Amino acid sequence: MASDTQPTPVSAKTPVTLREVATLAGVSVATASKALNGQGRMTAETRERIRETAQRLGFRPNSLAQSLLRRRSFTVGLLTNDTYGRFSLPVMSGISDALVDKGVSVFLCNVEDDQRLGQLHVDAMLDKRVDGIIATGKRIDRHLPVDLANLRIPVIYAFTQPDPGAIAFVSDDAGGARLAVEHFCRLGRCRIAHVTGPASFAVVHARAQAYRDVLTEKGLPVMVPLLGSWSEAWGHEAVKQLFDGKLSKSGGEKPDAVFCGNDQIARGVIDALRERGLDVPDDVGVIGFDNWQIVAEATRPPLTSVDMNLAALGREAGLTLLSLVGGEPAQPGIRKLPCRLVVRQSCGRPPGG
């Protein structure tokens, strides 16, 4: 027989009020408010008792009221055209790490390469009174398709081309290339090739120049950098050119190391070398760039790679934006953050090591 008992309807719980916290803690509403906002004069014991009471009751401050009081929304907008998140996600991780302890939330908006979409997102952020905007992208030599100049809130650029007179954070690509080539030199490699991406990217030229500079300083032969696509297929083709093409038939010795412009190229290079019966790293050492872990750690052998420290870059961008929001001045310009070399098994050991 079916029961006539009706289920009890679920209802939303009423939020705990500041007055309830104050009553239970035995203080006035004003004192409770000051304690929770880190203001006012009171004993440490009283302040701690009020905070413990608020936590026990599950009290959450009214964010709208706080925003009106402090004239801040405690939100930051993050704009990107990096659809896959290859570069923007580590940057965002660093930004969030810098802001979360300050009670600031980050809203990510993907503008793709659509100027209209970008402007819609910026207008929405301004309507929501974000405290500032951080712009990040897929490459450092291209603007996002949106005008961020002359906004009345602070704007920081991270891993994308900034407007003139703005503050920007980028990785030191030349410094990263130096780390890779100098590491090969310390390992005793003396015929180092460079296989990299398209000539349309500024980082390609910065890294290639650093490659040439290091070899010239060491008195080692400089090979002509091979430029192609950012792909495994190009890495495979480049090995063919290095070992079978005009480069190998010009009288020069074959390379004993290859510095690659990204990890996908490096993976293609390693696969092609293996197919030729060449051992990596005993016969030829390989170093990549980006330290894309899903690629670098799955490569056989695991790939040594230059890490652009994008999370640290994002953290610096976030902290700088907070300073600007707080009224502290900051010098405009592009700030280059150092890269680091993550050594795995693809580049070999030093002589006698």
Side-chain angles (χ1 to χ4, degrees):
M1 182 175 177
S3 173
D4 294 331
T5 304
Q6 297 295 318
T8 303
V10 177
S11 59
K13 293 182 179 179
T14 305
V16 176
T17 66
L18 182 62
R19 184 173 297 280
E20 290 175 278
V21 173
T23 299
L24 195 58
V27 297
S28 68
V29 172
T31 299
S33 176
K34 290 174 182 177
L36 296 176
N37 285 301
Q39 300 171 343
R41 284 180 154 183
M42 64 192 74
T43 65
E45 181 184 357
T46 299
R47 191 183 302 276
E48 185 60 28
R49 185 176 77 253
I50 294 169
R51 287 178 175 172
E52 286 180 354
T53 301
Q55 185 175 13
R56 188 168 69 253
L57 292 176
F59 172 74
R60 297 182 65 84
N62 186 314
S63 59
L64 177 59
Q66 286 194 325
S67 297
L68 292 172
L69 178 65
R70 303 185 188 182
R71 296 185 180 180
R72 284 186 56 187
S73 66
F74 295 91
T75 59
V76 165
L78 178 62
L79 293 172
T80 184
N81 65 347
D82 181 15
T83 308
Y84 296 103
R86 168 67 194 89
F87 301 108
S88 62
L89 287 180
V91 171
M92 184 176 180
S93 173
I95 292 170
S96 297
D97 180 58
L99 303 185
V100 68
D101 289 339
K102 307 294 183 182
V104 178
S105 299
V106 181
F107 295 113
L108 173 65
C109 291
N110 187 356
V111 304
E112 299 176 0
D113 286 311
D114 187 330
Q115 186 174 4
R116 176 178 169 277
L117 179 61
Q119 193 58 54
L120 284 173
H121 282 315
V122 171
D123 290 343
M125 288 179 176
L126 295 176
D127 288 343
K128 293 180 183 300
R129 299 291 193 270
V130 295
D131 295 329
I133 291 175
I134 298 177
T136 185
K138 300 182 276 192
R139 51 193 292 186
I140 65 172
D141 55 357
R142 291 288 187 275
H143 280 284
L144 291 188
V146 62
D147 183 11
L148 299 177
N150 303 315
L151 297 183
R152 294 189 175 183
I153 57 174
V155 176
I156 298 288
Y157 296 82
F159 204 77
T160 191
Q161 188 173 20
D163 287 316
I167 298 173
F169 293 86
V170 299
S171 297
D172 184 357
D173 284 278
R178 274 190 162 271
L179 289 175
V181 182
E182 288 174 348
H183 188 68
F184 271 144
C185 293
R186 285 193 296 271
L187 295 176
R189 309 284 176 160
C190 55
R191 300 183 305 280
I192 305 169
H194 183 34
V195 180
T196 187
S200 59
F201 283 71
V203 296
V204 166
H205 301 285
R207 295 172 190 172
Q209 187 57 54
Y211 156 81
R212 286 188 288 262
D213 289 345
V214 173
L215 294 183
T216 300
E217 292 165 11
K218 302 290 185 182
L220 296 175
V222 180
M223 299 183 185
V224 177
L226 299 182
L227 277 58
S229 63
W230 300 112
S231 68
E232 290 185 35
W234 164 235
H236 207 282
E237 171 62 26
V239 168
K240 184 177 180 181
Q241 292 187 27
L242 287 169
F243 287 84
D244 293 341
K246 294 179 181 179
L247 292 172
S248 65
K249 296 176 182 177
S250 61
E253 292 186 79
K254 293 178 175 60
D256 60 3
V258 183
F259 166 45
C260 301
N262 78 350
D263 292 343
Q264 289 163 289
I265 293 173
R267 187 164 179 169
V269 166
I270 290 176
D271 287 346
L273 290 170
R274 183 185 301 112
E275 290 171 10
R276 289 172 174 271
L278 294 170
D279 184 83
V280 176
D282 289 347
D283 296 321
V284 183
V286 179
I287 293 179
F289 208 106
D290 291 348
N291 193 34
W292 191 2
Q293 285 184 284
I294 195 171
V295 173
E297 293 180 353
T299 301
R300 291 294 173 263
L303 179 66
T304 294
S305 185
V306 177
D307 191 311
M308 293 186 288
N309 280 331
L310 294 180
L313 188 151
R315 178 175 175 79
E316 288 300 314
L319 291 174
T320 302
L321 185 67
L322 280 182
S323 295
L324 292 175
V325 170
E328 298 178 24
Q331 288 296 322
I334 297 176
R335 306 176 188 185
K336 294 184 178 182
L337 274 64
C339 299
R340 64 189 177 96
L341 186 67
V342 179
V343 178
R344 297 187 179 93
Q345 286 85 54
S346 67
C347 53
R349 299 177 179 178

